[in-house]
């Protein structure tokens, strides 16, 4: 089981892995790593193109043609690269966990943003509907006031009631 101390150097290892991948493609393989056989892991990994196999205690040039070292060369649990305390197996597990957490966080953020946007538009629609209803209410009040005023004018001048000329139209 990995603890927090083993995850602290993980970003540095990942960065180092990316840098080595770039340099490994441009630089020709050199037999420098094989000269470090019989030394310690720390001394072997001072050269970034080297891979230390814990089981055989050998310093090997990292096989850049394959992303991960083949099992015949060195088992993943015993392969060390970048740091002596990080093996490839735990590196792969940690990268999968971090990748999964990032994907889940992205999906949660996407869901929250879409949901909040929908809630915001619902609020905006409700606000616009209230505003429209308020304007309609005021317009109906003004219409009723105008009708009352017209009726008052008609009664004042005696125009209310039936119009004797309305039968001719």
């Amino acid at each position: 089981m990995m603890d927090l101390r083993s995850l602290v150097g993980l970003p540095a290892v990942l960065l180092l892995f990316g840098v080595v991948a770039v340099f490994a493609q441009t630089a020709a393989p050199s037999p420098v790593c094989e000269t470090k056989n019989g030394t310690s892991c720390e001394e072997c990994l001072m050269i970034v193109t080297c891979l230390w196999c814990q089981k055989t205690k050998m310093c090997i040039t990292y096989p850049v043609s394959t992303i991960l070292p083949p099992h015949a060369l060195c088992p993943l649990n015993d392969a060390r690269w970048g740091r002596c305390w990080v093996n490839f197996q735990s590196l792969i597990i940690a990268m999968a966990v971090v990748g999964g957490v990032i994907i889940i966080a992205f999906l949660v953020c996407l869901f929250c943003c879409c949901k909040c946007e929908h809630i915001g538009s619902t609020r905006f629609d409700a606000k616009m509907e209230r505003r429209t209803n308020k304007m309609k209410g005021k317009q109906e009040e003004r219409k009723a006031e105008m009708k009352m005023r017209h009726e008052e004018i008609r009664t004042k001048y005696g125009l209310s009631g039936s119009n004797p000329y309305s039968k001719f139209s």
Side-chain angles (χ1 to χ4, degrees):
M1 191 79 193
M2 290 177 38
D3 61 356
L4 185 60
R5 287 177 289 177
S6 64
L7 290 177
V8 172
L10 187 63
V13 171
L14 294 176
L15 180 65
L16 188 62
F17 184 71
V19 170
V20 167
V22 170
F23 283 117
Q25 292 173 355
T26 59
S30 63
V32 175
C33 295
E34 282 71 19
T35 61
K36 299 289 182 179
N37 283 340
T39 62
S40 68
C41 176
E42 289 81 15
E43 195 172 326
C44 173
L45 295 182
M46 290 174 95
I47 305 167
V48 292
T49 59
C50 295
L51 171 76
W52 177 259
C53 188
Q54 192 73 24
K55 186 176 184 181
T56 61
K57 305 281 188 222
M58 292 183 66
C59 190
I60 309 162
T61 302
Y62 189 88
V64 293
S65 58
T66 60
I67 295 174
L68 298 174
H71 186 74
L73 185 65
C74 189
L76 287 179
N77 199 30
D78 295 322
R80 305 289 191 260
W81 178 78
R83 300 271 182 235
C84 291
W85 48 268
V86 177
N87 62 35
F88 270 98
Q89 192 172 11
S90 59
L91 182 66
I92 291 169
I93 292 170
M95 285 178 23
V97 168
V98 168
V101 168
I102 289 172
I103 290 171
I104 290 171
F106 175 74
L107 292 175
V108 166
C109 288
L110 188 68
F111 175 74
C112 287
C113 289
C114 291
K115 186 177 179 183
C116 292
E117 183 179 310
H118 179 67
I119 288 172
S121 66
T122 306
R123 288 180 186 163
F124 180 74
D125 291 344
K127 183 179 177 182
M128 291 304 288
E129 189 174 337
R130 283 193 305 269
R131 197 178 280 175
T132 304
N133 289 341
K134 189 176 178 181
M135 290 173 80
K136 281 183 182 178
K138 286 183 180 180
Q139 186 178 12
E140 288 175 7
E141 280 181 26
R142 285 193 302 264
K143 269 188 181 179
E145 285 177 9
M146 281 298 251
K147 274 190 175 183
M148 278 183 32
R149 193 178 309 147
H150 288 161
E151 281 301 315
E152 287 175 1
I153 292 172
R154 284 189 188 111
T155 54
K156 181 178 177 181
Y157 293 106
L159 299 173
S160 62
S162 63
N163 188 352
Y165 299 106
S166 63
K167 29 184 155 172
F168 297 115
S169 55

